[in-house]
Amino acid sequence: DLRMSRGLGDVYKRQAKDISTEMGISLSAVYCELKRGRDGTRYEDARLTYKADVAQLNVQKSLERRGRRSASA
């Protein structure tokens, strides 16, 4: 959900537990979203960065891939 992605981008420097409480979502949903939005770069303290646009792109790609696979694939 794009709203959740944007919200996580604003509060990423905080603890995942605080994010889940503030947004009213489960802790596992926060961790899944943070994993989805990783772009491979790091902050100065070595944590992986989170980008909401990367997360949204990954969701869109996932939606395009779902469904039955064709016989030729």
Side-chain angles (χ1 to χ4, degrees), residues 7 10-12 16 18-19 21 25 42 46 51 53-54 59 67 72:
D10 295 338
V11 294
Y12 185 73
D18 296 334
I19 296 169
T21 302
I25 56 177
R42 294 185 178 266
K51 303 265 193 252
D53 54 338
V54 172
V59 168
S72 62

Side-chain angles (χ1 to χ4, degrees), residues 4 8 16-17 20 25-36:
M4 185 166 81
L8 285 174
K17 185 176 181 182
S20 70
I25 56 177
S26 70
L27 188 58
S28 64
V30 172
Y31 281 120
C32 287
E33 183 63 26
L34 290 174
K35 184 177 178 183
R36 184 181 296 133

Side-chain angles (χ1 to χ4, degrees), residues 56-70:
Q56 187 63 31
L57 182 64
N58 286 335
V59 168
Q60 293 297 337
K61 286 180 182 178
S62 169
L63 290 174
E64 291 171 6
R65 285 192 308 261
R66 70 182 181 178
R68 285 197 143 170
R69 304 287 185 247
S70 63

Side-chain angles (χ1 to χ4, degrees), residues 7 14 29 32 43:
R14 295 176 42 205
C32 287
Y43 290 115

